[in-house]
């Protein structure tokens, strides 16, 4: 071989996937010798040769063939091809290492094809392959280079076919003959020989539900990876030389050296109407012992919140049925109202009453239990079933016994389910019980991932943890779908400290808070709503006109009563005005007491408030106010139903209707006192 031939062959080696194109060019010259003779003839003009090359030969080698014609060396074509094939067989300077697994050793022709493929895939790097025989492949090859695996084996085809069949059954299709033939046909057509998009990594450290993985260089934050034992995990930390993965299952079957494969899919959860009435875990799997949930719709658990343009102002009430809240701290559809207080002060009870009050109001409810005891969740589900509320409710449970990653993603999974209904134009109420435990789970994950701890050992992005969750609650404009998500996040305080890190974070994210005070709760005032520290930043904009007019000065009267009560503890001689104010305040406090699981309708609340503002209850003994209220409401429902119908129809409180309510209240009171005296 001449030096020119060797140099030309070396240039061919630099062209990706040149082997097939060179073979095609040679076949053309063999089939039509006149073409070769014309290109090798030095008397033929170069521009004519270029036209022939553009019309006949493969695109990838045209420039090389034109170079031969320009230099007058096309006569060396066959010698160059022979030298190129020899150079393909020679080992070159090793730039990477790989492994070739086979059943039968590859032929020379197969090795040329393998080398050509690797050159194209890895930019013509010289890769040294170690050979390994494995009878379990049945036939074909597997090549592993770095973190990538390419599977040409029969075992790989069988595995993909099994996955297709199992996925078809999961999606609800039977294993009928027609379906299997259809799957076989599509599998043959779509089978991917190379797993180029599925990087293979190796676990180098395992512990406490966290795995550090080497060899996966292109994973995305939040991407799902699968371990060789079948356990799924989510990429939660992307570093320069490794990734940190949080597990959605137990780590007992994972050890150092376990293989990990990318899926290319972000963490998501199945959604749909099929979930109504079910209790599921953070991944959407049923926990209630019922049938498997079949749905083809998935949503990512992390989604961007609706923009300003897509939002509509909060103006439609989300009535809780709790008099103290609906009258003084109204909640609107699309609002985020925080429920905050110490342990065992009735936070969950308020959320449950709100869910019960949505019956018959075309509202979907989602209750997310984070870090609760399983027995507590079971009791809540029983309460909802007995009240008939499970028909429109989904319970997402990540109990204290579940791994921290499941507690971490549970509220995001619940929000993804809520967004499915919101973008269909439906109203959704979602309860996060509670976000304090959610922050603790995230702190545990972050510390195990060796992130720098900040205030109270929480990571620096703990504010973003809850802001990106709660910002997804909104009321959409009609153009964007018209639905809404109303969020009731719950935060547990320690000894009433609302200025702690997590409480202040969530207070600044939400549109108001209902503060439950331990002292009020233990004194028998339930719900134990603190009038001074509670607030709704939406206020009267999300309140019915009738409720707004009836509530009047209730909040101010209660605040004055609390101050006056403290002041009068040291005085025994009170004037009549002060006595009257104290009596009115005591009656209001007693009226705001409400049995658990008995929400009031809007009409009932208006009647109670109108009577309270008319001082109807002031001279009733405190111990009898609850009984008097119950009988008063029964009287209106049984004998004055036209007043209730008018309130529910017009949602307003004109003066004549207010006077009618006051008159009927006085009439009932007179009869009540007469019966009592008799």
């Amino acid at each position: 071989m001449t030096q020119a031939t060797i140099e030309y062959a070396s240039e061919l080696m630099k062209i990706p996937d040149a082997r097939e194109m060179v073979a095609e060019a040679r076949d053309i010259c063999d089939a039509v010798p006149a073409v070769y003779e014309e290109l090798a003839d030095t008397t033929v003009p170069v521009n004519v040769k270029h036209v022939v090359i553009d019309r006949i030969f493969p695109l990838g080698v045209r420039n090389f063939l034109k170079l031969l014609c320009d230099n007058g060396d096309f006569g060396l074509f066959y010698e160059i091809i022979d030298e190129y094939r020899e150079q393909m067989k020679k080992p070159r300077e090793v730039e990477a290492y790989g492994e070739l697994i086979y059943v039968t050793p590859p032929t020379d022709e197969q090795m040329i094809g393998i080398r050509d493929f690797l050159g194209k895939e890895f930019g013509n790097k010289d890769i040294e392959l170690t050979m390994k025989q494995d009878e379990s492949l049945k036939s074909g090859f597997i090549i592993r280079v770095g973190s990538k695996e390419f599977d040409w084996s029969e075992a790989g085809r069988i595995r993909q076919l099994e996955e297709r069949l199992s996925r078809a059954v999961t999606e609800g299709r039977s294993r009928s003959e027609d379906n299997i033939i259809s799957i076989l046909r599509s599998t043959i057509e779509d089978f991917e020989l190379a797993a180029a998009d599925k990087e293979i990594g190796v676990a180098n450290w395992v512990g406490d539900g966290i795995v550090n993985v080497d060899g996966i260089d292109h994973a995305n934050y939040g991407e799902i990876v699968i371990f060789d034992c079948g356990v799924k995990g989510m990429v939660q930390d992307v570093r320069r030389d490794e990734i940190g993965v949080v597990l959605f299952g137990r780590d007992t079957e994972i050890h150092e050296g376990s293989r990990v494969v990318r899926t290319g899919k972000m963490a998501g959860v199945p959604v749909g109407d099929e979930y109504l009435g079910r209790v599921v875990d953070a991944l959407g799997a049923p926990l209630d012992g019922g049938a498997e949930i079949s749905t083809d719709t998935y949503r990512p658990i992390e989604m961007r919140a609706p923009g300003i343009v897509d939002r509509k102002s909060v103006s439609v009430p989300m009535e809780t049925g709790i008099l103290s809240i609906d009258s003084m701290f109204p909640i609107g559809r699309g609002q985020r109202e925080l429920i905050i207080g110490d342990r065992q002060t009735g936070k969950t009870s308020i959320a449950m009453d709100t869910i019960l009050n949505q019956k018959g109001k075309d509202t979907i409810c989602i209750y997310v239990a984070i870090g609760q005891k399983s027995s507590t969740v079971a009791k809540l589900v029983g309460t909802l079933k007995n009240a008939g509320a499970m028909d429109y409710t989904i319970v997402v449970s990540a109990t204290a016994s579940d791994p921290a990653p499941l507690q971490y993603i549970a509220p995001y999974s619940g929000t993804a389910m809520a967004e499915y209904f919101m973008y269909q134009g439906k109203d959704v109420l979602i309860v996060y019980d509670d976000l304090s435990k959610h922050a603790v789970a995230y702190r545990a994950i972050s510390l195990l991932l060796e992130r720098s701890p900040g205030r109270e050992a929480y990571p620096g992005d703990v504010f973003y943890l809850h802001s990106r969750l709660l910002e997804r609650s909104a009321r959409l404009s009609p153009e964007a779908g018209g639905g809404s998500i109303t969020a009731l996040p719950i935060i547990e305080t320690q000894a009433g400290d609302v200025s702690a890190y997590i409480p202040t974070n969530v207070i600044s994210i939400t549109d108001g808070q209902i503060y439950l005070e331990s002292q009020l709760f233990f004194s028998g005032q339930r719900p134990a709503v603190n009038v001074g520290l509670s607030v709704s930043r939406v206020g009267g904009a999300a309140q019915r006109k009738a409720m707004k007019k009836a509530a009047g000065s209730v909040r101010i009267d209660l605040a004055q009563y609390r101050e006056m009560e403290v002041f009068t503890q040291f005085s025994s001689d009170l004037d009549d005005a002060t006595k009257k104010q104290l009596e009115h305040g005591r009656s209001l406090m007693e009226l705001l007491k409400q049995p658990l699981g008995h929400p009031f309708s809007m009409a009932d609340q208006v009647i109670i408030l109108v009577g309270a503002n008319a001082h109807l209850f002031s001279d009733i003994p405190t111990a009898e106010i609850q009984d008097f209220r119950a009988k008063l409401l029964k009287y209106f429902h049984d004998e004055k139903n036209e007043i209730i119908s008018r309130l529910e129809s017009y949602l307003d409180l004109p003066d004549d209707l207010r006077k009618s309510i006051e008159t009927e209240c006085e009439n009932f009171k007179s009869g009540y006192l007469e019966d009592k005296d008799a």
Side-chain angles (χ1 to χ4, degrees), residues 561 581-591 622 625:
Y561 164 72
Q581 189 174 9
L582 286 172
E583 289 172 356
H584 179 56
R586 288 193 191 99
S587 66
L588 283 178
M589 293 293 287
E590 193 66 24
L591 284 172
T622 304
I625 288 180

Side-chain angles (χ1 to χ4, degrees), residues 61-90:
V61 293
R62 287 177 188 173
N63 290 336
F64 178 76
L65 297 180
K66 290 177 182 179
L67 177 64
L68 293 180
C69 294
D70 293 343
N71 296 339
D73 292 333
F74 200 88
L76 302 175
F77 177 70
Y78 287 103
E79 296 179 18
I80 293 170
I81 292 177
D82 293 338
E83 175 62 21
Y84 167 72
R85 293 174 67 87
E86 289 298 322
Q87 290 190 20
M88 286 288 293
K89 296 178 183 178
K90 293 179 182 178

Side-chain angles (χ1 to χ4, degrees), residues 16 52 65 116 163 258 300 343 347 358 528 563 620:
V52 172
L65 297 180
D116 193 42
E163 291 175 356
S258 293
R343 182 174 177 271
K347 300 185 296 298
Q358 305 313 309
E563 292 183 5
I620 302 292

Side-chain angles (χ1 to χ4, degrees), residues 543-554:
Q543 203 171 25
R544 304 288 187 195
K545 288 183 178 180
M547 180 66 73
K548 189 184 299 186
K549 292 179 180 179
S553 60
V554 169

Side-chain angles (χ1 to χ4, degrees), residues 256-321:
E256 289 187 33
S258 293
R259 295 176 63 213
V260 192
V261 62
R262 284 182 62 193
T263 63
K265 298 178 181 178
M266 304 304 289
V269 64
V271 297
D273 295 332
E274 297 83 358
Y275 278 85
L276 291 174
R278 303 301 300 271
V279 182
V280 298
D281 64 13
L283 299 176
L287 297 175
D288 51 10
E292 288 294 321
I293 301 172
S294 177
T295 177
D296 296 330
T297 309
Y298 284 77
R299 285 190 68 86
I301 62 172
E302 297 269 13
M303 286 287 288
R304 182 175 295 180
I308 298 297
V309 176
D310 295 330
R311 294 176 183 253
K312 192 177 181 181
S313 61
V314 177
S315 59
V316 179
M318 172 68 71
E319 291 163 343
T320 66

